[in-house]
Amino acid sequence: MNPQEVLDLAKSNEARQLDLRFSDIPGLQHHITYPIGQLSLDSFENGFGIDGSSIRGWAAINESDMLLIPDPATAFMDPFYEIPTLVMLGNVRDPLTRQSYERDPRWIAQKAEAYLQHSGIGDTAYFGAEAEFFIFDNIRFDQNAHSGFYFIDAEEGRWNSSREENNLGYRPRYKEGYFPVPPTDHYQDLRAEMVETMEQCGIVIECHHHEVATAGQCEIDQRFDTLVKSADNMMLYKYIVRNVAYENGKTATFMPKPLFGDNGSGMHTHQSIWKGGKPLFAGEGYAGLSQTALWYIGGLLKHARALSAIIAPTTNSYKRLVPGYEAPVNLAYSRRNRSAACRIPMYSASPKAKRVEFRPPDPSANPYLSFAAMLMAGLDGILNKIEPGEPLDKDIYDLSPEEMKTVPSMPASLDEALTCLEDDHEFLLKGEVFSEDLIETYIAYKRKNESDAVRLRPHPYEFSLYYDI
């Protein structure tokens, strides 16, 4: 869609407002709204001024003036606002130099795509991410100097099976929520509404279903797309999930591990590289992979511990990434073993379907930064011909302790992951895709506001463990 077509779209839908959206470094989307009369053809060149001083990880107050340049290719009509509103994503630029802002996550993703083309390896990177989420009925939490708690309730939660009033049963057992039909699956109609809203906004959906955990864990699978477009779609996906749930009196969360003792939510990310319309990951090697794909896997595995700070970027992420549970913490690859970090799906023999699924990411990640970082790790593997080692085709639970020692694993905490990123980030700097400033800012923000903040506060379970010590 070009600028004139955007103006025509606004007119045909009688849009009265313009909503411009952008992402901060941690991945929260922000917006600013203008009367539609403020939008003209010149707007796509001149942009709209905003104050970036209060955006997490962005400029100091003395350098806070920013421009939002609307991207016409991202235009759609918002499905939730009462006033007809045209939405576009904005690219952030410096008003003085007119250069793209180095801390704009979308710009980093755009640079990653450009670096792929410049490398000569391929011209297109396709990403398909499967973001899981929970639907709850009530959430309460607080933290202060003298108390701290959270309380989750969900009509579908197995713990409500003993409730006396208004109890009709039919709730998924813990770890048995995969694919039950209604009435055990309480959210078929709600997910269907989410899917129809996504399709209305231009996202192509392949399927939706209940996930493994009780209490409303769900998954809606989008069709793969190019890197930046997939990241754009993930931001829109999360927006639609939250708002459809909210309009139906529910609350949705992409927190990786909200429930103890049941499965957490991942964001398994399928990846492939193409050149001239041909898939580069199909070949005659292991699981039908090419040598290029094996080197890409080698890059992902080599840099996985550093990637973890970006693809599993919260302290809560490491409640999911725990050895011996459902999460893929083992830094190995396999054609079917879901405990391996890299899995090669075998559903289709078509070369076009050949891809690598990287399983450690979770949906708390900023999709622009995480997709870009994974691509950079894979490209580093190809450029340096990094071999991934032997595949892990055994059941992880059948391995002896001696064998397990030879399989490296993901970090055990956000703090450890940030240290790994400090020690290993040269691959991200190639082609000036990431900058040293961005990485330093990211690490400092995460340490101060998340890792240290959680570490300094008493945990409720510590009172059970230690109050009478």
Side-chain angles (χ1 to χ4, degrees):
M1 193 176 298
N2 61 41
Q4 183 57 57
E5 289 172 332
V6 172
L7 296 181
D8 293 342
L9 175 68
K11 183 177 181 180
S12 64
N13 285 277
E14 299 181 347
R16 291 155 54 189
Q17 301 281 308
L18 166 67
D19 208 45
L20 289 182
R21 300 179 183 175
F22 58 95
S23 168
D24 64 14
I25 289 177
L28 184 67
Q29 196 168 53
H30 302 262
H31 77 136
I32 183 169
T33 310
Y34 305 87
I36 197 66
Q38 297 292 317
L39 180 66
S40 67
L41 289 176
D42 290 341
S43 303
F44 295 90
E45 288 291 330
N46 299 329
F48 295 83
I50 62 167
D51 175 5
S53 63
S54 296
I55 304 302
R56 297 182 297 176
W58 277 23
I61 196 166
N62 61 317
E63 298 177 339
S64 60
D65 288 349
M66 301 286 173
L67 284 178
L68 275 182
I69 308 295
D71 183 344
T74 64
F76 67 94
M77 294 298 297
D78 188 276
F80 302 107
Y81 294 165
E82 289 186 15
I83 304 298
T85 301
L86 176 74
V87 179
M88 284 185 282
L89 300 182
N91 292 316
V92 187
R93 291 186 185 168
D94 186 294
L96 299 181
T97 66
R98 307 289 296 187
Q99 297 297 308
S100 295
Y101 183 46
E102 290 298 326
R103 296 187 188 180
D104 175 13
R106 193 167 190 260
W107 169 234
I108 292 169
Q110 291 168 336
K111 286 191 291 182
E113 286 188 323
Y115 177 72
L116 168 63
Q117 296 170 2
H118 179 74
S119 73
I121 293 171
D123 52 39
T124 307
Y126 286 115
F127 277 70
E130 303 167 348
E132 299 163 350
F133 56 93
F134 280 88
I135 299 170
F136 298 142
D137 287 273
N138 189 54
I139 177 70
R140 295 188 288 121
F141 53 88
D142 195 14
Q143 179 74 56
N144 51 53
H146 68 280
S147 67
F149 78 95
Y150 68 90
F151 184 85
I152 296 167
D153 200 13
E155 166 60 31
E156 198 196 71
R158 186 67 178 181
W159 58 83
N160 275 319
S161 294
S162 62
R163 193 177 67 199
E164 290 187 17
E165 72 283 357
N166 192 31
N167 191 348
L168 301 179
Y170 296 110
R171 296 181 177 89
R173 298 175 184 88
Y174 292 99
K175 294 183 175 291
E176 293 186 24
Y178 211 48
F179 293 178
V181 297
T184 304
D185 177 0
H186 288 210
Y187 297 120
Q188 169 68 21
D189 289 338
L190 188 59
R191 288 196 310 274
E193 183 180 342
M194 292 172 178
V195 166
E196 291 194 349
T197 307
M198 291 174 187
E199 292 181 324
Q200 175 187 334
C201 294
I203 301 177
V204 179
I205 299 300
E206 295 183 335
C207 67
H208 66 92
H209 57 85
H210 201 287
E211 257 297 337
V212 175
T214 190
Q217 190 185 35
C218 299
E219 181 178 315
I220 300 172
D221 289 344
Q222 308 175 50
R223 190 176 190 275
F224 67 89
D225 212 317
T226 55
L227 188 154
V228 173
K229 181 60 176 172
S230 286
D232 289 343
N233 285 347
M234 184 55 67
M235 299 299 286
L236 181 54
Y237 171 98
K238 294 170 82 170
Y239 174 74
I240 290 171
V241 165
R242 291 188 185 110
N243 277 279
V244 170
Y246 191 78
E247 288 193 338
N248 284 272
K250 309 290 184 183
T251 179
T253 181
F254 291 90
M255 193 173 172
K257 190 75 171 182
L259 298 180
F260 169 69
D262 212 336
N263 282 39
S265 293
M267 187 178 71
H268 307 150
T269 305
H270 298 252
Q271 307 166 45
S272 65
I273 296 176
W274 292 50
K275 187 174 185 178
K278 296 181 179 180
L280 299 185
F281 279 12
E284 301 299 322
Y286 173 82
L289 294 176
S290 66
Q291 182 62 64
T292 296
L294 290 169
W295 286 334
Y296 189 96
I297 292 172
L300 284 175
L301 295 178
K302 177 181 178 180
H303 299 298
R305 288 174 60 82
L307 286 175
S308 62
I310 298 173
I311 64 167
T314 66
T315 60
N316 188 251
S317 299
Y318 299 88
K319 305 293 194 297
R320 168 182 172 260
L321 292 175
V322 177
Y325 289 84
E326 85 277 1
V329 299
N330 303 293
L331 297 181
Y333 68 104
S334 174
R335 60 187 154 198
R336 300 182 75 179
N337 191 340
R338 281 172 163 79
S339 69
C342 288
R343 187 179 76 92
I344 299 90
M346 302 299 291
Y347 299 121
S348 171
S350 170
K352 293 182 178 180
K354 193 56 63 178
R355 60 198 187 274
V356 174
E357 177 192 13
F358 195 50
R359 294 176 62 80
D362 69 57
S364 66
N366 184 324
Y368 298 109
L369 299 182
S370 58
F371 294 174
M374 284 185 276
L375 177 63
M376 295 301 290
L379 292 179
D380 188 65
I382 296 171
L383 291 168
N384 291 290
K385 299 182 178 180
I386 299 172
E387 295 291 345
E390 293 299 315
L392 180 66
D393 285 335
K394 294 182 179 180
D395 187 329
I396 195 71
Y397 300 107
D398 292 338
L399 296 180
S400 68
E402 291 74 22
E403 289 176 304
M404 281 300 300
K405 288 180 181 178
T406 67
V407 182
S409 63
M410 294 288 284
S413 69
L414 177 59
D415 192 61
E416 183 182 351
L418 292 169
T419 298
C420 292
L421 181 58
E422 281 180 323
D423 295 340
D424 176 24
H425 61 259
E426 288 296 321
F427 69 99
L428 296 173
L429 304 179
K430 293 180 179 178
E432 299 182 345
V433 174
F434 287 75
S435 67
E436 197 77 56
D437 170 73
L438 185 280
I439 292 171
E440 289 176 358
T441 299
Y442 182 89
I443 292 172
Y445 176 88
K446 286 285 179 179
R447 276 233 164 90
K448 177 182 177 182
N449 296 286
E450 298 181 33
S451 181
D452 288 351
V454 170
R455 181 174 57 84
L456 290 170
R457 286 163 169 79
H459 188 283
Y461 193 56
E462 290 178 315
F463 287 84
S464 297
L465 292 172
Y466 308 128
Y467 187 76
D468 61 351
I469 200 166

